């Protein structure tokens, strides 16, 4: 089964028309020159894309239109998106398509492990769409992927970037605690005031508690979360979220600029200057985060291996390893 090719996919206006809060999806504020990126078309970039298609694997790099795809693919790294390419939710900031997903592919964990081995990755990130249709939210599939990679590539370190498992958190966390990753990541995404508009179906306190509950089960596994700026939040609200993260034991944080992926998604209300990101990074470090990555192009899995190394997760550098972004 090719989970990369799906029917009934909705993006943009078709995806956001049915959420309860009207999406302000008009033109974004003008994009500054420094926010533009060049897309790599290197041989390594094409090789990674070819391997992913041969293995019938999805990446969030492609599905979410990540601006770093050229750099990461060019270095031979990717964030793998398991459990298909259709999400059961309609978050209007996100470019991943909404629709009715296919059943989990039982061969996907082995295909993923084979690809990780072929690419000789020493650090991988596994994420997924929301799967509210599954009793465990997809946690058993995450665990199967972790086991398959460790069996084939025992030196590879694994970070998972999970959905919120809302309504299924207890069973999902019990499953993940039995086969824990090296880093547990779940994105808070935005400030609580923006949740009804940006994350319909999610809950700010639940997302914080998810990471605290995992830490209680696996105290030696670092936890991580991320925020995007530019949706209309204030600087004071961002600092309040960072404080809440630390109160819930979150070790690592990423903060980046939201970019409108297409018409129909939430518009950009502001572009945060690089100097403001640098100042925010200093404030986050002062709050006690073990690793901080802040910058316009930072995403939750960008330079994830470098962040993990900063908190003591041993990972050998792969060819073309990157330096920390702050």
């Amino acid at each position: 089964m090719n989970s990369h090719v799906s029917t009934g996919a909705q993006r943009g206006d078709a995806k956001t028309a049915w959420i309860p809060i009207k999406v302000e999806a008009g033109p974004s504020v003008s994009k500054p020159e420094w926010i533009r990126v060049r897309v790599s078309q290197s041989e390594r970039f094409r090789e990674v894309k070819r391997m992913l298609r041969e293995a019938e694997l999805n990446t969030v790099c492609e599905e979410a239109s990540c601006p770093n795809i050229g750099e990461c693919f060019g270095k031979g790294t990717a964030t793998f998106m398991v459990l298909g390419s259709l999400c059961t939710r309609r978050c209007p900031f996100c470019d991943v398509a909404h629709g009715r997903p296919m059943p989990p592919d039982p061969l996907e964990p082995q295909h993923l492990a084979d690809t990780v081995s072929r690419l000789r990755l020493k650090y991988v990130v596994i994420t997924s769409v929301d799967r509210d249709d599954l009793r465990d939210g997809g946690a058993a599939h995450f665990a199967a992927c972790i086991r398959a990679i460790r069996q084939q590539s025992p030196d590879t370190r694994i970070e998972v970037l999970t959905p919120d498992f809302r309504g299924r958190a207890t069973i999902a966390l019990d499953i993940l605690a039995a086969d824990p990753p090296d880093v547990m990541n779940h994105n808070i995404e935005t400030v609580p005031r923006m949740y009804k508009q940006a994350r319909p179906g999610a809950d700010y306190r639940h997302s914080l508690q998810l990471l605290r509950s995992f830490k209680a089960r696996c105290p030696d596994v670092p936890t991580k979360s991320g925020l995007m700026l530019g949706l209309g939040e204030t600087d004071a609200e961002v600092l309040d979220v960072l404080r809440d993260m630390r109160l819930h034991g979150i070790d690592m944080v990423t903060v980046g600029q939201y970019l409108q992926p297409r018409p129909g998604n939430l518009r950009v209300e502001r572009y945060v200057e690089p100097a403001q990101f640098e100042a925010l990074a200093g404030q986050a470090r002062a709050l006690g985060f073990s690793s901080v990555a802040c910058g316009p192009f930072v995403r939750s899995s960008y330079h994830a291996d470098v962040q993990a190394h900063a908190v003591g997760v041993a990972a050998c550098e792969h060819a073309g390893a990157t330096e920390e972004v702050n």
Side-chain angles (χ1 to χ4, degrees):
M1 177 184 69
N2 190 339
S3 59
H4 187 74
V5 179
S6 304
T7 58
Q10 297 177 350
R11 285 187 167 96
D13 292 321
K15 171 181 169 179
T16 61
W18 299 95
I19 63 175
I21 303 296
K22 179 177 173 56
V23 174
E24 298 294 337
S28 299
V29 296
S30 298
K31 184 181 292 187
E33 185 62 33
W34 46 262
I35 204 71
R36 304 179 193 279
V37 294
R38 291 180 60 218
V39 176
S40 167
Q41 293 294 332
S42 68
E43 181 59 35
R44 184 60 166 156
F45 177 91
R46 291 189 289 270
E47 178 188 16
V48 172
K49 292 201 73 166
R50 176 180 56 78
M51 286 187 179
L52 293 170
R53 296 296 78 79
E54 288 176 355
E56 300 185 350
L57 292 172
N58 303 308
T59 66
V60 74
C61 321
E62 297 168 289
E63 296 298 332
S65 303
C66 179
N68 302 313
I69 186 171
E71 178 182 351
C72 294
F73 274 24
K75 288 180 166 63
T77 66
T79 297
F80 298 97
M81 190 171 77
V82 299
L83 290 166
S85 59
L86 290 180
C87 187
T88 55
R89 299 193 194 173
R90 299 175 181 267
C91 297
F93 71 86
C94 180
D95 200 34
V96 174
H98 168 79
R100 180 177 295 177
M102 300 288 286
D105 181 357
L107 299 179
E108 185 173 54
Q110 188 58 53
H111 288 165
L112 176 57
D114 292 342
T115 302
V116 168
S117 178
R118 289 178 65 193
L119 290 172
R120 304 181 302 282
L121 301 181
K122 296 301 181 183
Y123 194 95
V124 299
V125 181
I126 307 169
T127 190
S128 81
V129 292
D130 277 289
R131 291 298 302 258
D132 296 321
D133 58 312
L134 301 177
R135 181 174 176 271
D136 65 354
H141 198 79
F142 271 96
C145 291
I146 292 171
R147 290 193 301 271
I149 292 172
R150 285 192 172 141
Q151 183 174 14
Q152 195 157 333
S153 303
D155 293 331
T156 298
R157 298 295 173 257
I158 303 168
E159 177 176 323
V160 296
L161 172 57
T162 74
D164 62 10
F165 301 122
R166 194 173 180 191
R168 303 158 179 83
T170 298
I171 186 172
L173 292 178
D174 286 345
I175 290 169
L176 286 175
D179 289 287
D182 294 290
V183 174
M184 171 67 174
N185 187 353
H186 169 66
N187 283 336
I188 302 299
E189 301 289 12
T190 188
V191 302
R193 180 174 59 85
M194 301 297 300
Y195 257 56
K196 284 186 178 180
Q197 184 173 40
R199 291 193 73 194
D203 179 83
Y204 175 73
R205 290 292 166 189
H206 170 81
S207 284
L208 287 169
Q209 186 59 41
L210 181 82
L211 289 164
R212 172 184 272 174
S213 296
F214 181 84
K215 176 72 81 173
R217 289 167 169 81
C218 301
D220 295 330
V221 177
T223 51
K224 179 179 176 181
S225 192
L227 289 169
M228 54 187 170
L229 306 185
L231 291 175
E233 73 291 327
T234 67
D235 293 343
E237 287 176 316
V238 173
L239 276 175
D240 284 343
V241 172
L242 293 177
R243 293 187 186 102
D244 281 345
M245 287 182 179
R246 289 299 299 132
L247 288 172
H248 286 76
I250 297 171
D251 303 295
M252 309 158 67
V253 68
T254 59
V255 186
Q257 172 69 52
Y258 168 68
L259 300 174
Q260 185 184 37
R262 68 182 68 224
N265 292 98
L266 291 173
R267 67 190 182 195
V268 178
E269 300 292 342
R270 65 164 176 162
Y271 286 101
V272 179
E273 296 281 344
Q276 292 176 269
F277 276 111
E278 291 180 12
L280 185 60
Q283 292 171 311
R285 292 191 194 96
L287 289 172
F289 287 99
S290 301
S291 181
V292 176
C294 289
F297 299 116
V298 168
R299 296 297 183 266
S300 56
S301 56
Y302 185 53
H303 294 184
D305 55 340
V306 179
Q307 274 206 296
H309 182 73
V311 297
V313 175
C316 299
E317 293 184 353
H318 55 74
T322 55
E323 68 276 4
E324 186 173 3
V325 174
N326 282 315

